Amino acid sequence: AVKPLNAEPKRNDMIVPFAATAIAPEAEDYEQLAKDLENASPLKIMDKALEKFGNDIAIAFSGAEDVALIEYAHLTGRPFRVFSLDTGRLNPETYRFFDAVEKQYGIRIEYMFPDAVEVQALVRSKGLFSFCEDGHQECCRVRKVRPLRRALKRPRAWITGQRKDQSPGTRSEIPVVQVDPVFEGLDGGIGSVVNWNLVANVSGVGIWNFLRTMDVTVNSLHSQGYISLIGCEPCTRPVLPGQHEREGRWWWEDAKARECGLHKGNIMKNDAANAATVD
Ligand code: SF4
């Protein structure tokens, strides 16, 4: 059941242009800030991020247990924005969940859609399931990475749900805050977008304990064996007890290629030579 909040919905208030007043990344020593916040709670880091960037920061929401980020933002009492990539291939349950989250928190999620011409060209030339034959990179590039690039041209910072325990091969060293090594910001240029990975040091178990404690509504797919990383319907499957959650993504491919490109910086840092490149 959706847990109603007392606050009045401010849907349209949330969808306003990003202000160009945020602190330039180069003006802050984010390596030092990451060290200072390494042992801080996710709530404290979220509060810091929202305080610093105001309307110029957005939570990247995938429709999975990263709803914890929205709950943390809500708990700060500060206004916040949420965006999501609608690839057009998500599960029906995820769309329902998006709707429930909007109602629960009184927000409008700012969806980013793929370019219709690019999707049309891909599907007409290679069919609807090309990723099963020649890898997921091309489809992810069209449906996820390019829309994310467009999304990140606007805010100066984004908040991710990346955790070290999600992918020991590619996410084991992510700091709680960093200048994004891949995506370009409004000024055009690497180094103008800041990532806040406030649950980097939290385990999957810790996230779920938080969600249960706070009685947060979650995606109904979780009760069907989807532990985390719920992505597109054709490319995500439930995992068995004891299997790592990443086993449920692109299982027909080599394990090292199982990043969609949204967090390519992790791959570049960890294994530039062998990793799949996306875009
Ligand atoms: Fe395409 Fe699968 Fe990537 Fe979704 S996860 S964008 S369907 S390859």
Side-chain angles (χ1 to χ4, degrees):
V2 175
K3 181 182 67 174
L5 298 174
N6 294 329
E8 283 295 311
K10 297 176 190 161
R11 299 181 168 211
N12 294 329
D13 294 349
M14 303 298 289
I15 306 175
V16 293
F18 285 104
T21 53
I23 302 159
E26 62 272 17
E28 176 83 58
D29 182 347
Y30 282 97
E31 282 190 24
Q32 184 57 50
L33 186 59
K35 284 180 193 157
D36 295 344
L37 293 174
E38 179 66 15
N39 297 313
S41 68
L43 181 59
K44 181 170 181 187
I45 301 170
M46 175 66 85
D47 191 59
K48 189 83 168 170
L50 296 179
E51 177 195 39
K52 244 180 180 346
F53 284 89
N55 192 44
D56 234 353
I57 189 168
I59 295 170
F61 179 44
S62 73
E65 89 286 10
D66 53 358
V67 68
L69 302 177
I70 299 176
E71 179 69 14
Y72 280 123
H74 169 69
L75 289 173
T76 68
R78 298 181 185 274
F80 61 91
R81 317 179 64 156
V82 179
F83 78 94
S84 190
L85 304 177
D86 183 351
T87 64
R89 302 297 292 266
L90 304 177
N91 289 280
E93 290 89 343
T94 300
Y95 290 111
R96 294 281 181 206
F97 181 50
F98 283 149
D99 185 58
V101 168
E102 288 192 334
K103 291 187 168 81
Q104 180 169 340
Y105 291 96
I107 59 172
R108 277 287 186 217
I109 297 170
E110 298 170 48
Y111 298 104
M112 295 301 295
F113 296 95
D115 181 272
V117 173
E118 288 184 19
V119 173
Q120 195 169 283
L122 173 65
V123 172
R124 284 188 180 179
S125 65
K126 292 189 166 183
L128 284 165
F129 294 90
S130 61
F131 40 83
C132 295
E133 288 157 23
D134 60 6
H136 71 273
Q137 286 86 356
E138 185 177 18
C139 183
C140 278
R141 182 163 58 238
V142 169
R143 293 181 186 270
K144 289 183 179 177
V145 179
R146 286 181 179 156
L148 181 63
R149 279 193 193 284
R150 288 201 305 278
L152 293 184
K153 290 279 184 193
R154 307 302 301 278
R156 302 296 180 110
W158 61 316
I159 298 166
T160 85
Q162 290 189 96
R163 303 192 318 269
K164 289 176 179 169
D165 73 343
Q166 279 174 323
S167 186
T170 59
R171 298 188 180 183
S172 58
E173 294 180 17
I174 47 173
V176 295
V177 58
Q178 66 183 147
V179 175
D180 195 303
V182 174
F183 288 100
E184 300 174 354
L186 192 62
D187 295 337
I190 307 298
S192 53
V193 177
V194 177
N195 293 352
W196 292 80
N197 309 308
L198 55 110
V199 291
N201 297 318
V202 182
S203 67
V205 171
I207 291 287
W208 280 100
N209 285 341
F210 172 70
L211 292 173
R212 289 192 189 100
T213 301
M214 302 308 294
D215 194 24
V216 175
T217 303
V218 297
N219 192 323
S220 62
L221 289 171
H222 291 302
S223 62
Q224 299 173 36
Y226 291 80
I227 293 179
S228 175
L229 300 169
I230 298 172
C232 296
E233 182 276 332
C235 300
T236 314
R237 66 179 180 181
V239 295
L240 298 169
Q243 276 188 307
H244 191 275
E245 57 193 72
R246 208 146 258 284
E247 295 293 310
R249 297 296 289 279
W250 305 300
W251 53 94
W252 61 90
E253 295 182 10
D254 177 77
K256 282 227 168 142
R258 290 182 200 163
E259 288 275 0
C260 60
L262 301 187
H263 303 297
K264 195 173 72 169
N266 304 327
I267 300 175
M268 293 168 70
K269 190 174 175 187
N270 284 281
D271 195 349
N274 299 321
T277 54
V278 183
D279 215 26

